[in-house]
Amino acid sequence: MLLSIKNLKAGINGKEILKGINLEVNRGEVHAIMGPNGTGKSTLASVISGRDMFEVLDGEVRYKDKNLLKLSVEERAREGIFLGFQYPVEIPGVSMTNFMRTAVNEVRKYHGLDPLTGGDFLRLMEEKKKLVEIESNLTNRSVNEGFSGGEKKKNEIFQMAMLEPTLAILDETDSGLDIDALRIVAQGVNKLRTKDNAFVLITHYQRLLDYIVPDFVHVLYEGRIVKSGTKELALELEERGYDWIKKENE
Amino acid sequence: MVHLFEENRGEIIRNDSEAISGIRDRSLDHFRETGLPDTKLEEWKNTNLAESFAKGYEYHFNPVPVRDLQRTFHCVIPHLDTAVIGQMNGWYVSQDVPLIRLGNGIIMGSLAQAFRQYPGIIEKYYNKYSSEDKNGLTFLNTAFAQDGVFIYVPDNVKSSKPIQLINVIRSDENLFIQPRNLIVLGKNSGLTLVHCDDSFNHQPSFSNIVTEVFLDSHARMDHYKLQNINNNSTLVSSTYFHLEKETVLDSLFLTLNGGLLRNNTRVLLNGDNSHININGLYLMDRKQHVDNYIYIDHNARGCSSKELFKGILDENASGVFNGHVMVRRDAQKTDAYQSNRNILLTDTAKVNSKPFLEIYADDVKCSHGSTTGQLDPEAMFYLRQRAIGEDNARMLLMFAFADEVVEKISIPPLRNRIEDMVKRRLMGESLICDQCVLNCGSKEQPVEFRIDKEMI
């Protein structure tokens, strides 16, 4: 078991948003979490990655047999948790190259490895840029600064390729993408899939799942996973919308 | 201070022409009226000098012999070819001649010597725009000033190498010093000046520095002011720029360390189509205080002035930005922009920011902005989610914030040096070493004080 979430309750400013989540993710699996807006999908991603504005009220999260909730944001990242942001942050003045070199070397240091030399790092960057088909000039700029919506999302996939996470949570990475960008993002994910890592795709639409075939699909509604199934569940949701889920849970 | 002047007038005026002595006496009269600035004055509301004055200082009317000259002035910037001028405790330092005239006509050296040797130039440019400032400390400096640096660049001469003016305080006494610098750029001339204020040990000092800069038409100046003094010292640095038409001035104020620092900067745009950029960066912690006061007087058409001042304040540090842009009635087509941005790292750090536009012309483009906040928590989370530890994430964001100012430095070796200093400062390294504050662990390098005529 890579990730095990039991009865997780969490909220913000005293308001409970997650009301008892249970989820298990094994290495090699791709899970899709779907659901209407405002049901807690992004909150779940935030709690797993350790964003401190959210408060865990109850339950437990284990990752690689560790109590995940005790680790800092950066420790979780160094242990292989990657969050693809719904709204990647623009950081003027911090170059992509400097950012990624610092990130990669922090992970290496955590695992007792020497930092990459400048040459090795640049080779790694070139290799990953090709893998995810990111334009060369994006890495010469400040982090996400002035990037289009599509470029920002591609940049998330590029960073994921650089950091080679064990568990990648992609929060609405498909939102706001045209079909070409969506294809590039999906191909990036498919190329990075191995038997040792896992993906959690948070998405509102089934569209992404045409390109990345999930092993499991979960429906999150009002802070709980109310339905789980295989990829066929996504198709059913696409056809029938979320209203029947809402009705079933009223 | 009035008493001190009267008692020592004979010493003070020993290099003067009659005109200079007259200027002193008038300035002392003005000082009698204004007194020392206090917080009742709007321009000094947020900077209180009372504690600084209370420390008690020694005043010298003659230079104290300099020891260890090489060690004191070895803070040269690697790979930056500059002509170094030294100032020790307010006095020009020379090993041979106090004032030199180079082959291309540039005159540089001691102001005291220039009083004697070039009375014509002195009377034309000395204490002109500065005399309009109703600032008690400037009046005081004008009354007392005995020495400082004099640089004269004749018409059509462009100094090919920067001049680095290093003003060092090194004494076992608490010194009160009042150096005076006069820099004149003739028509269509050019000069890069790197002006450093440093202190050697931890002895309290009070520096009341006045620098006058005159740019005749079509002149261009790059001006860098680097301040790095000890935590017990006070520095009031008043710089008066008088710009004639079609001149360009790029100025940077970098404040890295000091107990209390006040930069009084006044710019008179007296001719059409001149362009100035004044940028500043201050990185303060402990109980340090920095105050940047900038007054820009648009008194001609088609001029632009751009100000960007950024600061990071940690612990109990405080900062003031007071930017006043005056656009006079006939200064049509003025383009003025002021921006002050601050990051406060603690709840106890504070900043007072007051960008201010006073506009009497109707066809102008003017804007200003001011922001004060913490490090962006979203950016912090983003960096940390990418495995970057909290300290490194803060460093990256602080450096990125500061670099917007640093990257404007057009001389690469100087930019690299300052980037390095900013990084070290942000990492919390004290730059006040036991020796020269700019030493930064670099090997001692000999400094040639004999000015090579081929160099400029």
Side-chain angles (χ1 to χ4, degrees), chain B residues 243 248-250 267 269 274-278 296 304-306:
Chain B
L243 276 65
V248 177
L249 169 68
D250 280 311
V267 183
L269 291 158
S274 285
H275 303 286
I276 60 169
N277 288 296
I278 299 193
I296 297 176
S304 71
S305 65
K306 305 268 152 82

Side-chain angles (χ1 to χ4, degrees), chain A residues 43-102:
Chain A
T43 303
L44 179 60
S46 292
V47 170
I48 296 172
S49 55
R51 188 183 282 243
D52 59 11
M53 63 197 276
F54 293 95
E55 194 187 349
V56 175
L57 305 166
D58 198 9
E60 111 178 320
V61 182
R62 295 197 71 80
Y63 169 78
K64 291 184 179 172
D65 274 331
K66 289 191 176 87
N67 180 355
L68 186 72
L69 299 176
K70 281 198 167 164
L71 302 182
S72 69
V73 177
E74 52 268 39
E75 283 168 335
R76 296 179 201 205
R78 292 165 191 165
E79 284 285 353
I81 289 181
F82 179 90
L83 174 65
F85 283 65
Q86 186 175 3
Y87 304 108
V89 184
E90 296 195 15
I91 311 180
V94 177
S95 73
M96 271 304 297
T97 308
N98 194 13
F99 168 51
M100 271 295 102
R101 188 158 65 200
T102 310

Side-chain angles (χ1 to χ4, degrees), chain A residues 23-42:
Chain A
L23 180 68
E24 295 197 335
V25 178
N26 289 298
R27 290 178 190 265
E29 291 175 352
V30 174
H31 290 245
I33 296 181
M34 303 182 71
N37 287 326
T39 58
K41 301 194 298 290
S42 288

